[in-house]
Coordinates of all heavy atoms in Angstrom, one line a residue:
Chain P
S33 N 144.1 115.0 97.3 CA 144.5 113.6 96.9 C 143.8 113.1 95.7 O 142.7 113.5 95.4 CB 144.1 112.7 98.1 OG 144.2 111.3 97.7
P34 N 144.5 112.3 94.9 CA 143.8 111.7 93.7 C 142.9 110.5 94.1 O 142.1 110.1 93.3 CB 145.0 111.2 92.9 CG 146.2 111.1 93.8 CD 145.9 111.9 95.0
D35 N 143.0 110.1 95.4 CA 142.2 108.9 95.9 C 140.8 109.4 96.2 O 140.6 110.2 97.2 CB 142.9 108.3 97.1 CG 142.2 107.1 97.6 OD1 141.0 106.9 97.3 OD2 142.8 106.4 98.4
E36 N 139.8 108.9 95.5 CA 138.4 109.4 95.6 C 137.9 109.2 97.0 O 136.9 109.9 97.4 CB 137.5 108.6 94.7 CG 137.7 109.1 93.2 CD 136.8 108.2 92.3 OE1 135.9 107.5 92.8 OE2 137.0 108.3 91.1
R37 N 138.4 108.3 97.8 CA 137.9 108.0 99.1 C 138.4 109.0 100.2 O 137.9 109.1 101.3 CB 138.2 106.6 99.6 CG 137.5 105.5 98.8 CD 138.1 104.2 98.9 NE 139.6 104.3 98.7 CZ 140.4 103.3 98.8 NH1 140.0 102.1 99.2 NH2 141.7 103.4 98.5
K38 N 139.4 109.7 99.8 CA 140.1 110.6 100.9 C 139.4 112.0 100.9 O 139.0 112.5 99.9 CB 141.6 110.7 100.5 CG 142.3 109.4 100.7 CD 143.6 109.5 101.3 CE 144.1 108.1 101.8 NZ 145.6 108.1 101.9
L39 N 139.4 112.5 102.1 CA 138.8 113.9 102.3 C 139.5 114.9 101.5 O 138.9 115.8 101.0 CB 138.9 114.3 103.8 CG 137.9 113.5 104.7 CD1 138.1 113.9 106.1 CD2 136.5 113.8 104.3
G40 N 140.8 114.7 101.3 CA 141.6 115.6 100.4 C 141.2 115.6 99.0 O 141.4 116.6 98.2
H41 N 140.5 114.6 98.6 CA 139.9 114.6 97.2 C 138.5 115.1 97.3 O 138.1 115.9 96.4 CB 139.9 113.1 96.8 CG 139.4 113.0 95.4 ND1 140.2 113.0 94.3 CD2 138.1 112.8 94.9 CE1 139.5 112.8 93.2 NE2 138.2 112.7 93.5
I42 N 137.7 114.7 98.3 CA 136.3 115.0 98.3 C 136.1 116.5 98.5 O 135.3 117.1 97.8 CB 135.6 114.3 99.5 CG1 135.6 112.8 99.3 CG2 134.2 114.8 99.8 CD1 135.3 111.9 100.5
I43 N 137.0 117.2 99.3 CA 136.8 118.6 99.5 C 137.2 119.4 98.2 O 136.5 120.3 97.8 CB 137.7 119.1 100.7 CG1 137.1 118.6 102.0 CG2 137.8 120.6 100.7 CD1 138.0 118.8 103.2
L44 N 138.3 118.9 97.6 CA 138.6 119.6 96.3 C 137.5 119.4 95.3 O 137.1 120.4 94.6 CB 139.9 118.9 95.7 CG 140.4 119.4 94.4 CD1 140.9 120.9 94.6 CD2 141.6 118.5 93.9
K45 N 137.0 118.2 95.2 CA 135.9 118.0 94.3 C 134.6 118.8 94.6 O 134.0 119.4 93.7 CB 135.5 116.5 94.3 CG 134.5 116.0 93.3 CD 134.5 114.5 93.1 CE 133.7 114.0 91.9 NZ 132.3 114.5 91.9
N46 N 134.3 118.9 95.9 CA 133.1 119.7 96.2 C 133.3 121.2 95.9 O 132.4 121.9 95.5 CB 132.8 119.5 97.7 CG 132.2 118.2 98.0 OD1 131.8 117.4 97.0 ND2 132.1 117.8 99.2
L47 N 134.6 121.7 96.1 CA 134.8 123.1 95.7 C 134.6 123.3 94.2 O 133.9 124.2 93.8 CB 136.2 123.5 96.1 CG 136.5 123.8 97.5 CD1 138.0 123.9 97.8 CD2 135.8 125.2 97.9
I48 N 135.1 122.3 93.4 CA 134.9 122.4 92.0 C 133.5 122.3 91.6 O 132.9 123.1 90.9 CB 135.8 121.4 91.2 CG1 137.3 121.7 91.5 CG2 135.6 121.4 89.7 CD1 138.3 120.5 91.1
D49 N 132.9 121.1 92.0 CA 131.5 120.8 91.6 C 130.5 121.9 92.2 O 129.4 122.1 91.6 CB 131.1 119.4 92.1 CG 131.9 118.3 91.4 OD1 132.6 118.6 90.4 OD2 131.7 117.1 91.8
G50 N 130.9 122.5 93.3 CA 130.0 123.5 93.9 C 130.0 124.8 93.1 O 129.3 125.7 93.5
G51 N 130.9 124.9 92.1 CA 130.9 126.1 91.3 C 131.7 127.2 91.9 O 131.4 128.4 91.6
F52 N 132.7 127.0 92.7 CA 133.5 128.1 93.3 C 134.1 128.9 92.1 O 134.7 128.3 91.2 CB 134.6 127.5 94.2 CG 135.5 128.5 94.8 CD1 135.0 129.4 95.7 CD2 136.8 128.7 94.4 CE1 135.8 130.4 96.3 CE2 137.6 129.7 95.0 CZ 137.1 130.5 95.9
K53 N 134.0 130.2 92.2 CA 134.3 131.0 91.0 C 135.8 131.5 91.1 O 136.3 132.0 90.1 CB 133.4 132.2 90.9 CG 132.0 131.7 90.6 CD 131.1 132.9 90.1 CE 129.8 132.4 89.5 NZ 129.0 131.5 90.4
G54 N 136.5 131.4 92.2 CA 137.8 131.8 92.3 C 138.8 130.7 91.9 O 138.5 129.7 91.3
D55 N 140.1 131.0 92.2 CA 141.1 130.0 91.9 C 141.2 128.9 92.9 O 141.1 129.2 94.1 CB 142.5 130.7 91.7 CG 142.5 131.7 90.6 OD1 142.0 131.3 89.5 OD2 142.9 132.8 90.8
I56 N 141.5 127.7 92.5 CA 141.6 126.5 93.4 C 143.0 125.9 93.1 O 143.3 125.6 92.0 CB 140.5 125.5 93.1 CG1 139.1 126.1 93.3 CG2 140.7 124.3 94.1 CD1 138.0 125.2 92.9
Y57 N 143.8 125.8 94.2 CA 145.1 125.2 94.1 C 145.2 123.9 94.9 O 145.4 124.0 96.1 CB 146.2 126.2 94.6 CG 146.1 127.6 93.9 CD1 145.6 128.7 94.6 CD2 146.5 127.7 92.6 CE1 145.5 129.9 94.0 CE2 146.4 129.0 92.0 CZ 145.9 130.1 92.7 OH 145.8 131.3 92.1
P58 N 145.3 122.8 94.3 CA 145.5 121.5 95.0 C 147.0 121.5 95.4 O 147.9 121.8 94.6 CB 145.2 120.4 94.0 CG 144.6 121.1 92.8 CD 145.0 122.5 92.8
I59 N 147.3 121.0 96.6 CA 148.7 120.9 97.0 C 149.0 119.4 97.4 O 148.3 118.9 98.3 CB 149.0 121.9 98.1 CG1 148.9 123.3 97.5 CG2 150.4 121.6 98.7 CD1 149.3 124.4 98.4
N60 N 150.0 118.9 96.8 CA 150.4 117.5 97.0 C 151.8 117.3 96.4 O 151.9 117.5 95.2 CB 149.4 116.5 96.4 CG 149.7 115.1 96.6 OD1 150.9 114.7 96.7 ND2 148.7 114.3 96.7
P61 N 152.8 116.9 97.2 CA 154.1 116.9 96.7 C 154.3 115.7 95.6 O 155.3 115.7 94.9 CB 155.0 116.6 97.9 CG 154.1 116.2 99.0 CD 152.7 116.7 98.6
K62 N 153.3 114.8 95.6 CA 153.6 113.6 94.7 C 152.7 113.6 93.5 O 152.7 112.6 92.7 CB 153.3 112.4 95.5 CG 154.4 112.1 96.6 CD 154.0 110.9 97.4 CE 154.8 110.8 98.7 NZ 154.1 110.0 99.7
A63 N 151.8 114.6 93.3 CA 150.9 114.5 92.1 C 151.2 115.7 91.2 O 151.7 116.7 91.5 CB 149.5 114.5 92.6
E64 N 150.8 115.5 89.9 CA 150.9 116.6 88.9 C 149.6 117.3 88.7 O 149.6 118.5 88.5 CB 151.4 115.9 87.5 CG 152.7 115.3 87.5 CD 153.8 116.4 87.7 OE1 153.7 117.5 87.1 OE2 154.8 116.1 88.5
E65 N 148.5 116.5 88.6 CA 147.2 117.1 88.3 C 146.2 116.2 89.0 O 146.3 115.0 89.1 CB 147.0 117.0 86.8 CG 145.9 117.9 86.3 CD 145.6 117.7 84.8 OE1 146.4 118.3 84.0 OE2 144.7 117.0 84.4
I66 N 145.2 116.9 89.7 CA 144.1 116.2 90.3 C 142.8 116.9 89.8 O 142.7 118.1 89.9 CB 144.2 116.2 91.8 CG1 145.5 115.6 92.3 CG2 143.0 115.4 92.4 CD1 145.7 115.7 93.8
L67 N 141.8 116.1 89.4 CA 140.6 116.6 88.9 C 140.8 117.8 87.9 O 140.0 118.8 87.9 CB 139.7 117.1 90.1 CG 139.2 116.0 91.0 CD1 138.7 116.6 92.3 CD2 138.1 115.1 90.3
G68 N 141.8 117.6 87.1 CA 142.0 118.6 86.0 C 142.7 119.9 86.5 O 142.9 120.8 85.7
K69 N 143.1 119.9 87.7 CA 143.7 121.1 88.3 C 145.2 120.9 88.4 O 145.6 119.8 88.9 CB 143.2 121.5 89.7 CG 141.7 121.9 89.7 CD 141.5 123.4 89.5 CE 140.1 123.7 89.3 NZ 139.9 125.0 88.7
K70 N 146.0 121.9 88.1 CA 147.5 121.8 88.3 C 147.8 121.7 89.8 O 147.2 122.4 90.6 CB 148.2 123.0 87.7 CG 149.7 123.0 87.8 CD 150.3 124.3 87.4 CE 151.8 124.4 87.9 NZ 152.4 125.7 87.7

Side-chain angles (χ1 to χ4, degrees):
Chain P
S33 166
D35 180 346
E36 286 178 14
R37 292 163 306 177
K38 295 219 163 156
L39 287 176
H41 184 92
I42 294 166
I43 291 172
L44 180 66
K45 188 165 190 302
N46 287 348
L47 281 168
I48 297 168
D49 293 352
F52 181 68
K53 293 196 168 57
D55 296 315
I56 302 173
Y57 306 106
I59 293 182
N60 179 329
K62 290 177 197 154
E64 292 295 319
E65 199 182 278
I66 304 174
L67 292 165
K69 297 270 172 199
K70 179 187 167 187

